[in-house]
Amino acid sequence: MLSLIKLPRVFTINQVPKVFHEDSIISGYRHPCSSATDCILSLFQLTNETLNIWTHFLPTWYFFWKLLTVVLMQDVWRDSFTWPLLVFLMSCCVYPLASSCAHTFSTMSTRARHICFFFDYGALSLYSLGSAITYSAYVIPDKWVNSLFHQYYIPIAVVNTVICTALACYSRLGLPYIQYNHDIIKRFSECKSPKFGKFLRILAFALPYLFDNIPLFYRLFLCVGEGCTDNDTNALHHTHIVMAFLTAFLFATHLPERLAPGSFDYIGHSHQLFHVFGIIGTHFQMEAIEQDMVTRRPWLLTYSLPITFTNTLGAALLSVTLSLGIIFLFSLPLLWSATRGEHTEKKTQSHPIHG
């Protein structure tokens, strides 16, 4: 069937605008004004984005299956102890799905690219909150249960999601209407200071990750004596941490393609590996959370803070609402300009395409 369909062309780095360039990736670029149909068809041809899309789209359905399993096999409507796990699994479905959609449709236009990744950042911030909610409910060491830190842990995590989304969106273009407006050719970071923009994005995601993992880091590496929750689950937590730091290393260094530009354009570049190790890390994180949930349930139900709608689903809904508001504010100048300057943008973007 696909042989009867004309697949979109791919281009080299010199044939597409700078905003679409990826560090040390020379070829395999899609047209910067692709139609939605072309974007979907590109899933079935080899471009430098193909594996970025599939390495997150397929795991989405794995996590969705895990979510359905919990919903169907546990009494989630009456057992509030399962609610943190539900929030976490929903965030595990949302972040790879948002990422795969962003990578799929990011070449429809410059504006679409920015807005797609704004939603990607919001989904990652939700995942960070999902992790915090489960850590508060199941993972926090016995010593810290009901402590002042425990009581303020979720509210601070919600604030961190707002900071994460806002800072990540800011890293692309700056402040809406102040540093960019309808004339987005004069951009803040990605054209003038790409390294600074990348630094801000790393900071945006490192902040909530490091905060969320304070209870786990203390439990695994610092806690001594009684109340440290030293059980078999710790091996899974160690594996997740190793995968998380490997993921961060790949995102920050652009290895291996930086060592041999052009050699890993289609298969094996850092963003693909970043996706793969990130998903593996999330899998081990999920396994560790579920194991802690089962083994520690009797003790936690007796001594820990009560699990309520407010500190689980309510916190997640608040985070989603705030992140969507931030995304709307950063997208508004781009959406407004789409009605005024779409023809100019397409002319500007299509001009470099030749050959």
Side-chain angles (χ1 to χ4, degrees):
M1 179 65 180
L2 286 176
S3 62
L4 302 177
I5 300 174
K6 184 179 180 181
L7 295 174
R9 284 182 59 194
V10 293
F11 303 91
T12 64
I13 193 171
N14 296 323
Q15 295 176 299
V16 297
K18 189 173 181 179
V19 67
F20 293 92
H21 293 186
E22 298 293 343
D23 192 1
S24 302
I25 303 297
I26 307 303
S27 60
Y29 291 91
R30 295 172 294 172
H31 195 286
C33 288
S34 301
S35 66
T37 301
D38 285 342
C39 290
I40 293 172
L41 287 176
S42 71
L43 296 176
F44 305 101
Q45 71 176 136
L46 197 56
T47 71
N48 58 35
E49 287 278 30
T50 305
L51 291 184
N52 288 340
I53 297 166
W54 286 105
T55 51
H56 265 175
F57 182 71
L58 294 178
T60 297
W61 301 104
Y62 165 68
F63 290 118
F64 183 67
W65 170 74
K66 293 291 292 186
L67 175 62
L68 282 182
T69 300
V70 172
V71 170
L72 296 176
M73 298 188 66
Q74 302 196 38
D75 189 9
V76 298
W77 305 111
R78 288 181 291 184
D79 184 8
S80 62
F81 195 72
T82 62
W83 293 353
L85 181 62
L86 284 179
V87 173
F88 175 74
L89 290 174
M90 284 188 285
S91 73
C92 289
C93 295
V94 169
Y95 94 78
L97 180 61
S99 171
S100 59
C101 289
H103 284 287
T104 298
F105 298 106
S106 61
T107 55
M108 290 185 67
S109 69
T110 300
R111 294 176 178 86
R113 182 176 181 84
H114 292 305
I115 294 172
C116 281
F117 285 108
F118 289 163
F119 279 99
D120 187 22
Y121 304 152
L124 284 171
S125 71
L126 176 63
Y127 166 66
S128 75
L129 179 63
S131 300
I133 289 172
T134 53
Y135 283 11
S136 173
Y138 313 133
V139 176
I140 192 166
D142 295 353
K143 277 186 177 181
W144 283 11
V145 168
N146 285 319
S147 64
L148 186 65
F149 175 82
H150 193 193
Q151 294 172 26
Y152 286 95
Y153 179 63
I154 296 300
I156 295 173
V158 172
V159 173
N160 283 342
T161 64
V162 175
I163 296 173
C164 170
T165 304
L167 188 57
C169 292
Y170 173 81
S171 72
R172 295 194 71 86
L173 293 169
L175 294 173
Y177 292 110
I178 296 175
Q179 290 174 301
Y180 70 96
N181 49 38
H182 63 277
D183 183 17
I184 60 169
I185 295 174
K186 299 178 180 179
R187 276 185 302 277
F188 152 69
S189 64
E190 287 199 328
C191 280
K192 295 182 180 180
S193 305
K195 291 183 179 179
F196 181 61
K198 184 67 176 285
F199 168 77
L200 288 179
R201 273 197 287 283
I202 293 172
L203 180 64
F205 299 122
L207 171 67
Y209 176 82
L210 293 174
F211 174 80
D212 293 348
N213 280 274
I214 287 174
L216 182 59
F217 291 158
Y218 176 77
R219 170 178 161 176
L220 296 179
F221 305 120
L222 298 175
C223 189
V224 292
E226 294 183 1
C228 292
T229 320
D230 187 8
N231 56 29
D232 293 339
T233 311
N234 288 357
L236 292 171
H237 286 304
H238 278 109
T239 304
H240 159 242
I241 290 172
V242 169
M243 291 297 172
F245 277 94
L246 180 57
T247 300
F249 172 79
L250 291 166
F251 182 78
T253 61
H254 290 281
L255 294 175
E257 68 269 16
R258 184 167 284 180
L259 300 177
S263 299
F264 301 94
D265 291 353
Y266 296 94
I267 299 175
H269 62 72
S270 62
H271 204 86
Q272 295 168 0
L273 300 176
F274 162 74
H275 280 195
V276 170
F277 286 109
I279 290 296
I280 294 173
T282 302
H283 166 75
F284 280 107
Q285 181 187 25
M286 177 188 66
E287 293 290 319
I289 287 169
E290 289 182 323
Q291 189 165 313
D292 264 337
M293 174 187 173
V294 172
T295 58
R296 301 183 67 201
R297 177 179 178 127
W299 189 91
L300 290 169
L301 285 174
T302 303
Y303 297 104
S304 189
L305 296 172
I307 295 174
T308 65
F309 178 85
T310 302
N311 59 22
T312 54
L313 295 165
L317 288 172
L318 176 61
S319 172
V320 169
T321 302
L322 294 173
S323 288
L324 287 176
I326 292 168
I327 292 168
F328 175 76
L329 288 176
F330 277 89
S331 301
L332 190 59
L334 307 181
L335 294 171
W336 175 78
S337 64
T339 63
R340 293 171 57 92
E342 187 172 313
H343 175 73
T344 302
E345 179 189 345
K346 288 189 175 182
K347 182 179 178 182
T348 302
Q349 289 184 337
S350 60
H351 179 70
I353 304 296
H354 57 80

